[in-house]
C-alpha cells in the first residue's frame, strides 16, 4: 500500500498546536512510518511552490491550525483545500477563531498601535528595499475561523488539542480508518462528566477570579464562584485544567447539542447566581452579584467570539445606556 | 432622520410567556386595542424558557429589538422562571454593551394576563424606541470578509 500523504499547516497561530502534535511522543514515529509529510512549515522546509505543484486532491489529509487573519492565511486555506482530500480544523483558532478572535473587538489601527506603537513603525504592504519590491499580505478587517473560508471535514478541538485527542486522530490516520466527515475528535458530553470535583449545584453568591482567590481543590469550581466553562464545553481533555485548580476556559468549544457555547454558559450562570432564596426582595442582591462581571464576552466567548454575534465591534452611540 | 432610516420599519421579536404576557396580548386583542405591527410574537411556556441563544439568534438573524414578556415577580406559573430570565437579560445586556450594541435592543417587561393596556402601551413605546435607535448594527450590510 502506498504511504499516505499528509500535511500540517499553521495560519494565524501561536505555534502551540504544532507542539501539541509532538505530545503523543513516540506515536509520531508510527505516523511518519505510515505517511509522508508533504507540508509542515513549523518543522520542515517545503515551499509554497511545492504545494502548488501537487495535483488537486493529491494530499490525503491536512491538519490546519490557526485562524484566518491575513490574506496569506486565506489564500493558503483555499490552496490547501484544493490539494487535500480531507481538511482538519486543528485547535481552537481553526475551529472557532480562538482567543485571538477577541481582537475583532479592536480595529486594525488599534491593533497596530498596540503591537507596533507609532504609526511610522507600522508594516507597509509594499516597500522597496535595496531595489527589491517587498510585499506583505493584507491584514483582513475581521479574523475568522477556517470554516468561514473553506469547507472543513473534521474538527480537532482544544487550545492546544490535548494528547489523547491528537492520539485518537493519529490512530485513525495510521489505520487508514477515518470516521465520517463532520466528526469532532472529542467527547460529545461536557467536561463536568470527566471532572473529579464534587458538584453540589450551589448558588453562586460571588464571582471569583483564579488569580485573586484560592480554590478548594475538591469542590466544583462553579460552586465556589469561579467561572468554569465545564457545563457548556466538550470533554475529551480529561478535565486537566480543573484538576490543576484552573477553571475551564472553554477551549474545546460547545458540546454536540449546543449551538452557542457562551450563551449556554450564560444561561447556566444566570440560573445559579442568587442568594439562596428567590423573590422580589432578592433582586437587588442578585444585581450586586451580577455587577461583579467585568468582561462577559471575554469570559464566556473566550474561544468562540469570532463565530458568534460578538465577532465584530459595533458602534452604537448609546451602547452603554442601560 | 437620515436616508437609511427613511424606509426603516423596526423588526421586533417578542417572546411572551403563555400564562401572563401572551394572555395580556390576547386581552389587548379582544379589547380591540391597537399596537404597531412591527412586533412578531412568539409564545413560550415561561419567560424562563427564553435562553440567551434565542435572544442572540434573533439579533443575529436580523431583529432590531427583542422583547421578553413575563409574569410579574411572585406571579410566575413555574414559581421562579421569571427571576432566572431577569438575571439572564442583565448579563445579555452587559455583553451587548461590551461590543458596542445598544443594550436597549433587548428589553424585559412584566405584563400580566389582565394588563391588556400595558401590553399595548409597552409594544407601542418599545417600537418607537427601536425606531429611534434605527436598524440594528448586526444586520447592517457589510462586505463579507471572504468575498
Amino acid at each position: 500500500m502506498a504511504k499516505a500523504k499528509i500535511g500540517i499547516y499553521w495560519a494565524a497561530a501561536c505555534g502551540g498546536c504544532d507542539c501539541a502534535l509532538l505530545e503523543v511522543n513516540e506515536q509520531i514515529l508510527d505516523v511518519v512510518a505510515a505517511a509522508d509529510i508533504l507540508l509542515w512549515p513549523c518543522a520542515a522546509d517545503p515551499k509554497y511552490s511545492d504545494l502548488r505543484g501537487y495535483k488537486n486532491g493529491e494530499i490525503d489529509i491536512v491538519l490546519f491550525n490557526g485562524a484566518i487573519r491575513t490574506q496569506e492565511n486565506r489564500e493558503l486555506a483555499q490552496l490547501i483545500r484544493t490539494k487535500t482530500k480531507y481538511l482538519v480544523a486543528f485547535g481552537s483558532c481553526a475551529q472557532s477563531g480562538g482567543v485571538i478572535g477577541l481582537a475583532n473587538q479592536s480595529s486594525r489601527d488599534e491593533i497596530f498601535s498596540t503591537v507596533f506603537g507609532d504609526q511610522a513603525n507600522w508594516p507597509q504592504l509594499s516597500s522597496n528595499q535595496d531595489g527589491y519590491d517587498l510585499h506583505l499580505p493584507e491584514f483582513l478587517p475581521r479574523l475568522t475561523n477556517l470554516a468561514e473560508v473553506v469547507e472543513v471535514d473534521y474538527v480537532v478541538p482544544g487550545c492546544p488539542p490535548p494528547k489523547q485527542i491528537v492520539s485518537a486522530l493519529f490512530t485513525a490516520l495510521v489505520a487508514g480508518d477515518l470516521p465520517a466527515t463532520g466528526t469532532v475528535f472529542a467527547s460529545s458530553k461536557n467536561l463536568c462528566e470527566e471532572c473529579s470535583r464534587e458538584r453540589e449545584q450551589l448558588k453562586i453568591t460571588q464571582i471569583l477570579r483564579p488569580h485573586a482567590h484560592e480554590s478548594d481543590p475538591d469542590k466544583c469550581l462553579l460552586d465556589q464562584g469561579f467561572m468554569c466553562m465545564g457545563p457548556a464545553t466538550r470533554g475529551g481533555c480529561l478535565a486537566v485544567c480543573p484538576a490543576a485548580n484552573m477553571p475551564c476556559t472553554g477551549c474545546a468549544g460547545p458540546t454536540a447539542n449546543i449551538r452557542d457555547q457562551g450563551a449556554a454558559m450564560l444561561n447556566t450562570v444566570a440560573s445559579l447566581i442568587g442568594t439562596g432564596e428567590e423573590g422580589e426582595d432578592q433582586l437587588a442582591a442578585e444585581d450586586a452579584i451580577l455587577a461583579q462581571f467585568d468582561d462577559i464576552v471575554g469570559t464566556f466567548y473566550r474561544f468562540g467570539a469570532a463565530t458568534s454575534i460578538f465577532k465584530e465591534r459595533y458602534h452604537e452611540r448609546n451602547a452603554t445606556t442601560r | 432622520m437620515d436616508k437609511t432610516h427613511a424606509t426603516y420599519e423596526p423588526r421586533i421579536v417578542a417572546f411572551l410567556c403563555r400564562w401572563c404576557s401572551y394572555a395580556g396580548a390576547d386581552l389587548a386583542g379582544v379589547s380591540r386595542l391597537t399596537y404597531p405591527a412591527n412586533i412578531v410574537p412568539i409564545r413560550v411556556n415561561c419567560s424562563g424558557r427564553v435562553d440567551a441563544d434565542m435572544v442572540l439568534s434573533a439579533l443575529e438573524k436580523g431583529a432590531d429589538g427583542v422583547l421578553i414578556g413575563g409574569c410579574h415577580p411572585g406571579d410566575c406559573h413555574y414559581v421562579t422562571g421569571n427571576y432566572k430570565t431577569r438575571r439572564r437579560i442583565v448579563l445579555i445586556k452587559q455583553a451587548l454593551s461590551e461590543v458596542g450594541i445598544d443594550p436597549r435592543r433587548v428589553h424585559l417587561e412584566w405584563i400580566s394576563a389582565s394588563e391588556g393596556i400595558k401590553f399595548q402601551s409597552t409594544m407601542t413605546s418599545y417600537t418607537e424606541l427601536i425606531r429611534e435607535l434605527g436598524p440594528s448594527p448586526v444586520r447592517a450590510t457589510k462586505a463579507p470578509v471572504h468575498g
Side-chain angles (χ1 to χ4, degrees), chain A residues 74 259 270 312 316 319 321, chain B residues 53 87 97 103 105 142 145:
Chain A
R74 175 167 64 197
R259 186 193 75 99
E312 61 186 288
E316 283 206 276
T321 318
Chain B
D53 191 10
R87 296 195 289 267
S97 191
R105 293 194 182 275
K142 286 183 181 173
V145 184

Side-chain angles (χ1 to χ4, degrees), chain A residues 147-170:
Chain A
E148 202 168 321
V149 185
V150 292
E151 200 183 330
V152 167
D153 298 306
Y154 300 106
V155 175
V156 177
C159 181
K163 183 166 94 175
Q164 54 276 19
I165 288 180
V166 179
S167 178
L169 170 75
F170 282 164

Side-chain angles (χ1 to χ4, degrees), chain A residues 35-207:
Chain A
D36 285 328
I37 299 175
L38 269 55
L39 171 76
W40 193 2
C42 180
D45 193 30
K47 304 293 184 231
Y48 288 168
S49 55
D50 299 332
L51 180 61
R52 288 194 188 91
Y54 298 130
K55 292 195 283 287
N56 286 352
E58 182 171 349
I59 309 177
D60 292 299
I61 189 164
V62 172
L63 315 183
F64 191 107
N65 71 67
I68 309 301
R69 172 79 274 184
T70 68
Q71 200 182 356
E72 180 192 17
N73 301 152
R74 175 167 64 197
E75 281 175 16
L76 264 290
Q78 287 162 342
L79 177 63
I80 286 169
R81 179 68 270 189
T82 63
K83 300 297 179 189
T84 187
K85 293 189 188 74
Y86 298 109
L87 182 61
V88 183
F90 190 92
S92 303
C93 295
Q95 179 191 14
S96 60
V99 178
I100 48 177
L102 291 169
N104 285 349
Q105 292 305 316
S106 306
S107 68
R108 170 185 172 276
D109 287 3
E110 286 165 344
I111 294 169
F112 278 21
S113 295
T114 304
V115 177
F116 301 107
D118 196 79
Q119 197 164 353
N121 302 328
W122 291 9
Q124 304 301 312
L125 286 185
S126 300
S127 60
N128 190 289
Q129 205 78 154
D130 305 329
Y132 293 99
D133 281 330
L134 302 177
H135 299 281
L136 284 176
E138 183 196 337
F139 190 86
L140 299 174
R142 178 163 68 77
L143 175 147
T144 76
N145 69 346
L146 179 59
E148 202 168 321
V149 185
V150 292
E151 200 183 330
V152 167
D153 298 306
Y154 300 106
V155 175
V156 177
C159 181
K163 183 166 94 175
Q164 54 276 19
I165 288 180
V166 179
S167 178
L169 170 75
F170 282 164
T171 304
L173 213 145
V174 168
D177 185 23
L178 287 167
T181 54
T183 296
V184 177
F185 280 83
S187 170
S188 56
K189 292 184 178 165
N190 71 11
L191 186 92
C192 302
E193 300 270 333
E194 301 173 354
C195 182
S196 61
R197 287 168 179 267
E198 194 186 331
R199 184 166 189 206
E200 296 174 62
Q201 293 231 354
L202 298 177
K203 281 286 171 191
I204 296 174
T205 54
Q206 53 179 343
I207 311 299

Side-chain angles (χ1 to χ4, degrees), chain B residues 60-105:
Chain B
E60 276 181 79
K61 289 177 179 166
D64 299 301
V66 179
L67 191 144
I68 297 98
C71 305
H72 284 269
D75 287 351
C76 177
H77 188 79
Y78 306 99
V79 189
T80 59
N82 52 353
Y83 297 131
K84 290 183 170 61
T85 217
R86 193 193 74 89
R87 296 195 289 267
R88 226 171 269 158
I89 300 304
V90 170
L91 293 178
I92 293 171
K93 278 169 166 281
Q94 190 185 321
L96 294 179
S97 191
E98 282 173 14
V99 300
I101 299 172
D102 195 316
R104 290 174 296 178
R105 293 194 182 275

